[in-house]
């Protein structure tokens, strides 16, 4: 039986609630499995990523809070692996901080590629933008092609492979590098009609949300999400991002997108300069996937009643 097959059996034992058996088999696999890449790149803890993830899944199932937090913190590649891609010289830092004093253009960007129907949040944000004096841009594949995004080798590879989330990771950096403005994933929904981004954010320089889960990045434990980003146009961070992504994805060919194109690599680059993090109430609610529209309306009413922030997390598809 291959290590991958053994791991599938372990995950089945966790799902069945046989935690003792799962842990025994996990420990045996950790002792025996060759580090040949079959179970993913080695993490900071020294485990193959998929084995590390199975230990994390078991810790969650057993409600072992301390073990869970430690496994989450270290579920990253060793920091020195990506360090060569994310260092900035003093001259580059000066250039970035000069750009950080510039205003964010009043444009709200969203991207939707693939064949699924447009989610309802898109029209809600279009209306919100019009109400608050923002230009709204929904980018489809033809729009991205018109500004040359299809020429980026990593974007082209992911689009061909049907990896739309990974392709959208790259597309957002290209759009923001060219246009600047505010980028929002399509699984956000507006929580408020009476206020908008300029009411809650300085809208100068870089801005991104913090993830709820911390990770050991080699530059501290803060991890940013790339689901909301605000920036002036032509910020050097995104120019560097687009330049290094082909090499990073080749280095981590089986890594999850949040390592190679998403939050982790973006966080490492942002930590080379100064940026804003929205206040803790900026996200008003996070709803279960495919929650009913009535749940969204209740969350909006709660945000209004309690004077919460602007975003509701809602993956409607």
């Amino acid at each position: 039986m291959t290590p991958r097959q053994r791991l599938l059996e372990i995950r089945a034992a966790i799902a069945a609630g046989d935690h003792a058996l799962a842990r025994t088999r996990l420990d045996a696999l950790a002792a025996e499995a060759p580090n040949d890449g079959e179970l993913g790149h080695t993490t900071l803890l020294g485990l193959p990523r998929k084995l590390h993830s199975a230990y994390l899944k078991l810790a969650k199932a057993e409600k072992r809070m301390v073990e869970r937090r430690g496994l989450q913190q270290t579920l990253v590649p060793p920091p020195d692996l990506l360090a060569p891609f994310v260092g900035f010289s003093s001259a580059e830092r000066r250039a970035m901080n000069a750009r950080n004093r510039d205003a964010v253009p009043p444009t709200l960007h969203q991207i939707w590629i693939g064949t699924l129907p447009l989610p309802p949040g898109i029209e809600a944000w279009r209306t919100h933008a019009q109400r608050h004096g923002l230009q709204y841009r929904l980018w489809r594949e033809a729009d991205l092609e018109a500004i040359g995004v299809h020429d980026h080798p990593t974007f082209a590879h992911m689009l061909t492979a049907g990896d739309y989330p990974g392709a959208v990771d790259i597309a957002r950096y290209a759009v923001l590098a060219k246009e600047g403005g505010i980028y929002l994933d399509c699984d956000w929904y507006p929580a408020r009609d009476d206020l908008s981004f300029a009411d809650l954010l300085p809208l100068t320089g870089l801005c991104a949300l913090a993830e709820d889960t911390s990770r050991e990045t080699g530059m501290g434990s803060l991890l940013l999400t790339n689901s909301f980003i605000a920036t002036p146009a032509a910020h050097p961070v995104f120019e560097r991002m687009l330049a290094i992504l082909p090499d990073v994805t080749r280095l981590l060919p089986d890594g999850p997108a949040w390592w190679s194109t998403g939050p982790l690599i973006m966080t490492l680059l942002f930590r080379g300069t100064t940026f804003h993090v929205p206040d803790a109430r900026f996200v008003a609610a996070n709803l279960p996937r495919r929650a009913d529209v009535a749940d969204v309306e209740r969350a909006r009413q709660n945000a209004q009643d309690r004077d919460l922030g602007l975003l509701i997390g809602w993956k409607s598809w």
Side-chain angles (χ1 to χ4, degrees), residues 99-100 102-105 175-177 179-183 203-207 229-238 270:
R99 187 65 69 195
N100 287 338
D102 292 343
V104 174
V175 167
L176 289 173
E179 305 274 342
I182 300 164
Y183 169 81
L203 291 182
T204 55
L206 289 174
C207 182
I229 309 169
T231 181
H235 199 290
V237 155
F238 297 108
F270 271 47

Side-chain angles (χ1 to χ4, degrees), residues 145-160:
E145 188 170 14
I147 63 167
V149 180
H150 286 62
D151 296 331
H152 192 282
T154 309
F155 177 86
H157 171 75
M158 290 185 167
L159 194 63
T160 300

Side-chain angles (χ1 to χ4, degrees), residues 121-142:
I122 285 176
E123 192 55 40
W125 282 114
R126 189 191 305 276
T127 301
H128 179 94
Q130 292 171 347
R131 178 180 289 119
H132 291 279
L134 296 168
Q135 180 184 0
Y136 181 85
R137 284 290 309 268
L138 175 63
W139 296 80
R140 307 302 304 271
E141 287 179 45

Side-chain angles (χ1 to χ4, degrees), residues 156-286:
H157 171 75
M158 290 185 167
L159 194 63
T160 300
D163 181 357
Y164 296 135
V168 171
D169 274 343
I170 298 154
R172 76 193 65 187
Y173 307 138
V175 167
L176 289 173
K178 178 174 175 56
E179 305 274 342
I182 300 164
Y183 169 81
L184 274 182
D185 270 352
C186 292
D187 54 2
W188 291 118
Y189 196 87
R192 304 278 293 269
D193 296 326
D194 60 323
L195 51 76
S196 191
F197 300 95
D199 301 302
L200 300 176
L201 302 167
L203 291 182
T204 55
L206 289 174
C207 182
L209 276 172
E211 290 273 15
D212 292 335
T213 302
S214 61
R215 309 283 184 176
E216 181 48 64
T217 68
M219 298 181 182
S221 59
L222 174 67
L223 184 72
L224 302 171
T225 172
N226 67 351
S227 63
F228 161 80
I229 309 169
T231 181
H235 199 290
V237 155
F238 297 108
E239 295 172 5
R240 172 71 70 86
M241 177 80 80
L242 293 167
I244 67 174
L245 281 178
D247 290 330
V248 171
T249 52
R250 278 193 294 269
L251 187 65
L252 295 167
D254 66 338
W258 74 267
W259 279 16
S260 57
T261 60
L264 179 60
I265 192 66
M266 190 189 85
T267 298
L268 294 175
L269 289 169
F270 271 47
R271 291 307 305 266
T273 186
T274 302
F275 56 90
H276 302 288
V277 175
D279 70 73
R281 292 157 65 92
F282 188 64
V283 177
N286 279 296

Side-chain angles (χ1 to χ4, degrees), residues 1-12 22 25-40 47-52 54-55 254:
M1 187 179 296
T2 68
R4 191 182 298 271
Q5 289 169 329
R6 292 170 67 183
L7 194 58
L8 289 174
E9 284 196 343
I10 290 165
R11 289 184 173 274
R25 290 184 173 178
L26 264 175
D27 290 343
L29 182 56
E32 301 167 16
N35 190 9
D36 58 3
E38 182 180 357
L39 296 182
L47 289 171
R49 179 181 60 82
K50 293 178 183 178
L51 189 57
H52 190 139
Y55 271 114
D254 66 338

